[in-house]
């Protein structure tokens, strides 16, 4: 991990190595936390800018609310702190991880007496499934582990403990020799990847599971739907049977960490020609253009980092790495 110099922890900027928590932090023992995955890109139109920043902040607050966690800062405070954090670390492009969690204060399953704490971190992190995966596509396997059911937890929340479900699926498929997992919901219908939403293309129509299929309604999912629609493509949200994965012309995944990744094979069934298809490539190109500020139509999805937050504004030199001490 290409670490930053600074982390924002409970309202203060602290050195990366000094960002510590107590071993009895409630979230460490019971998974009582919510988080976001956000990216900053060095855009052509706005300079360094965070993609759909406000949407990520809003979802963080919604996830926290679902788990009865009152965040002790307002949305704008966290937004501004994130902009400053990226700039003070000298990053032009990076991955950003806001985390809200129950801290040290009580043990046991009743969490409401434990304080709610907040940290913001950023670091250099390439595409989750690799640049080659983005170009050529990845091999996927349907996991034997099902996606968490809404009868048990809250799939709509991006909650820390819930990701044990994805971790089991990811490990299983990795050990079997595949790059990614596809999980089914509790009814046996296609749900999502281990950390991405899924799109299936058949006869020129893009199909994707609806929010009622226990998916996390991804922000990049919404972006990809909007982009495909703007390209004149038809997008249908409906349940997808497992066999449709094998019969599909194209499949692709979207997520903040992964960005947009084609799937070239599922369970040793070649998807279409075994190479990224025409629809996938068209949506991927438009998506990449949006991320990097090359499309004025999506300019409002970008939240620029103010120049004064960079070390150069104080006489230092900003770079694409970490800030000077």
């Amino acid at each position: 991990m290409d670490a930053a110099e600074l982390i924002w922890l409970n309202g203060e900027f602290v050195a990366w190595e000094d960002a510590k928590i107590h071993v009895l932090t409630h979230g460490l023992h019971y998974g009582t936390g919510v988080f976001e995955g956000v990216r900053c890109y060095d855009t052509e139109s706005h300079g360094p800018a965070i993609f759909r920043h406000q949407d990520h902040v809003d979802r963080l607050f919604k996830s926290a609310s679902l788990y009865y966690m009152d965040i002790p800062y307002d949305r704008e405070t966290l937004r501004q702190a994130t902009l400053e954090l990226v700039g003070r670390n000298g990053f032009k492009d990076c991955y950003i991880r806001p985390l809200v969690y129950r801290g040290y204060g009580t043990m046991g399953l009743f969490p409401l007496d434990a304080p709610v704490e907040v940290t913001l971190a950023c670091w250099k992190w390439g595409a989750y499934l690799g640049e080659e995966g983005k170009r050529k596509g990845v091999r996927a396997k349907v996991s034997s582990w099902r996606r968490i059911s809404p009868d048990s937890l809250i799939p709509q929340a991006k909650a820390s403990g819930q990701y044990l479900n994805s971790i089991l699926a990811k490990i299983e498929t990795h050990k079997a020799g595949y790059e990614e997992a596809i999980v089914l919901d509790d009814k046996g219908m296609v749900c999502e990847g281990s950390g991405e939403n899924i799109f299936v293309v058949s006869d020129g129509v893009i199909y994707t599971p609806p929010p009622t299929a226990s998916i996390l309604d991804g922000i990049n999912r919404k972006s990809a739907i909007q982009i495909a629609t703007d390209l004149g493509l038809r997008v249908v949200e409906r349940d997808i049977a497992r066999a449709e994965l094998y019969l599909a012309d194209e499949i692709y995944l979207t997520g903040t960490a992964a960005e947009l990744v084609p799937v070239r094979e599922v369970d040793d069934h070649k998807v279409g020609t075994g190479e990224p298809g025409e629809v996938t490539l068209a949506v991927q190109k438009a998506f990449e253009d949006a991320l990097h500020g090359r499309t004025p139509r999506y300019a409002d999805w970008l939240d620029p980092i103010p120049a004064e937050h960079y070390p150069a504004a104080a006489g230092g030199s900003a770079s694409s790495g970490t800030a000077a001490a």
Side-chain angles (χ1 to χ4, degrees):
M1 178 186 293
D2 189 353
E5 294 282 343
L6 298 172
I7 282 180
W8 191 89
L9 179 62
N10 293 324
E12 297 182 357
F13 291 97
V14 300
W16 179 276
E17 61 273 14
D18 292 333
K20 298 180 174 70
I21 61 171
H22 197 281
V23 295
L24 294 184
T25 292
H26 196 274
L28 180 63
H29 292 257
Y30 300 108
T32 46
V34 297
F35 69 97
E36 280 297 314
V38 194
R39 279 195 186 271
C40 176
Y41 294 91
D42 193 6
T43 71
E44 296 182 11
S45 57
H46 293 72
I50 299 176
F51 187 69
R52 302 202 69 162
H53 192 189
Q54 192 64 59
D55 295 303
H56 282 286
V57 173
D58 289 343
R59 189 173 65 179
L60 182 72
F61 275 77
K62 290 175 182 177
S63 294
S65 176
L66 288 170
Y67 277 97
Y68 305 96
M69 300 169 68
D70 293 326
I71 298 177
Y73 306 95
D74 61 30
R75 286 167 167 80
E76 186 60 17
T77 297
L78 294 188
R79 174 179 166 264
Q80 291 296 337
T82 303
L83 294 171
E84 186 173 353
L85 178 71
V86 173
R88 289 181 62 168
N89 279 301
F91 286 139
K92 298 295 184 69
D93 57 87
C94 62
Y95 182 85
I96 304 163
R97 172 55 55 86
L99 174 67
V100 177
Y101 59 96
R102 290 279 180 184
Y104 168 62
T106 185
M107 292 297 285
L109 295 179
F110 182 76
L112 300 187
D113 293 331
V116 176
E117 302 189 2
V118 183
T119 185
L120 305 169
C122 59
W123 62 89
K124 300 284 286 185
W125 195 20
Y128 175 58
L129 296 175
E131 290 299 326
E132 184 175 355
K134 286 174 60 178
R135 291 193 305 271
K136 297 182 179 180
V138 297
R139 297 177 66 243
K141 180 185 188 310
V142 175
S143 174
S144 66
W145 296 99
R146 295 288 178 92
R147 169 71 168 159
I148 53 174
S149 164
D151 294 333
S152 301
L153 288 167
I154 309 172
Q156 294 83 0
K158 196 171 177 68
S160 303
Q162 294 179 176
Y163 273 77
L164 283 171
N165 179 227
S166 294
I167 287 169
L168 286 171
K170 185 72 173 180
I171 292 174
E172 176 189 38
T173 52
H174 173 78
K175 285 182 174 292
Y178 299 82
E179 284 98 32
E180 187 51 299
I182 295 174
V183 294
L184 309 180
D185 67 15
D186 60 315
K187 300 184 291 295
M189 307 305 286
V190 174
C191 183
E192 59 185 26
S194 70
E196 313 88 14
N197 294 112
I198 189 167
F199 294 82
V200 176
V201 183
S202 182
D203 295 326
V205 179
I206 303 171
Y207 299 97
T208 191
T212 52
S214 294
I215 67 169
L216 179 70
D217 192 8
I219 290 167
N220 277 14
R221 173 184 182 270
K222 293 176 180 177
S223 303
I225 290 174
Q226 182 64 57
I227 286 168
T229 302
D230 292 342
L231 289 172
L233 298 166
R234 185 180 174 212
V235 181
V236 177
E237 295 181 86
R238 66 161 174 81
D239 287 336
I240 297 172
R242 178 174 179 171
E244 291 184 77
L245 298 174
Y246 311 143
L247 299 172
D249 298 321
E250 307 174 37
I251 299 174
Y252 58 90
L253 306 169
T254 64
T256 295
E259 298 172 325
L260 193 151
V261 181
V263 177
R264 69 175 189 271
E265 189 177 295
V266 178
D267 290 345
D268 302 317
H269 291 273
K270 185 187 296 184
V271 177
T273 65
E275 297 180 353
E278 181 180 340
V279 171
T280 299
L281 291 174
V283 178
Q284 185 184 50
K285 181 183 183 305
F287 182 70
E288 290 283 335
D289 286 344
L291 294 179
H292 294 92
R294 295 190 286 262
T295 309
R297 181 177 209 162
Y298 306 119
D300 61 345
W301 286 352
L302 303 173
D303 192 9
I305 310 295
E308 61 265 25
H309 289 330
Y310 282 93
S317 59
S319 68
S320 60
T322 56

